[in-house]
Amino acid sequence: LLMPTEESAKLASLVAGRSESRFLGSKQSVTKTADSDFEHLVFNEAVFLPSHGAYVSPGVTRRTLNYMCFANSKHTFRFVRKDRKFKDPNQHAPIAVRLSYHPNEPKRLADGY
């Protein structure tokens, strides 16, 4: 039986509740970009905001991943792509690249692949 930890369930509930209340109160259409930006903001706020007053933090544990393996697109295209030692994918290949920095994401997705 696979189940989330109590802390991750609290985090998911908090993010879902904040996102739902935003969209129920919104009279204008929300773009996909604005939607994902808001979810990213809510997630980061829930993870990093400490308990204070009536607010209780979900208590999730944070880990820092290797930025060369879990990179954002800015780092990949500015540094990794130009470094000779990363030309051979057998020496190094990122595990995941988040494409949130570039305005032309579909083209950058093809470049990243």
Side-chain angles (χ1 to χ4, degrees):
L1 182 62
L2 185 63
M3 295 181 63
T5 63
E6 183 179 332
E7 293 82 8
S8 63
K10 286 179 187 177
L11 176 64
S13 176
L14 181 63
V15 171
R18 293 264 326 266
S19 297
E20 184 177 296
S21 68
R22 174 182 186 232
F23 297 120
L24 290 177
S26 176
K27 292 187 167 105
Q28 52 186 320
S29 65
V30 179
T31 65
K32 185 176 180 180
T33 303
D35 179 26
S36 64
D37 288 346
F38 181 76
E39 287 179 0
H40 193 196
L41 174 76
V42 170
F43 177 83
N44 284 338
E45 185 178 88
V47 169
F48 293 103
L49 188 65
S51 297
H52 64 281
Y55 174 76
V56 178
S57 171
V60 295
T61 303
R62 297 173 294 277
R63 294 186 306 167
T64 303
L65 301 173
N66 183 333
Y67 68 94
M68 295 296 285
C69 295
F70 298 90
N72 66 22
S73 54
K74 179 180 181 179
H75 178 78
T76 301
F77 291 111
R78 288 186 69 198
F79 303 106
V80 175
R81 185 174 57 133
K82 297 175 183 176
D83 196 332
R84 283 185 3 171
K85 65 183 172 188
F86 298 123
K87 293 291 184 190
D88 182 9
N90 293 325
Q91 285 188 332
H92 176 78
I95 295 169
V97 177
R98 181 184 166 116
L99 296 170
S100 60
Y101 180 75
H102 301 282
N104 191 358
E105 290 179 12
K107 181 176 181 330
R108 277 304 193 183
L109 179 59
D111 291 342
Y113 184 71

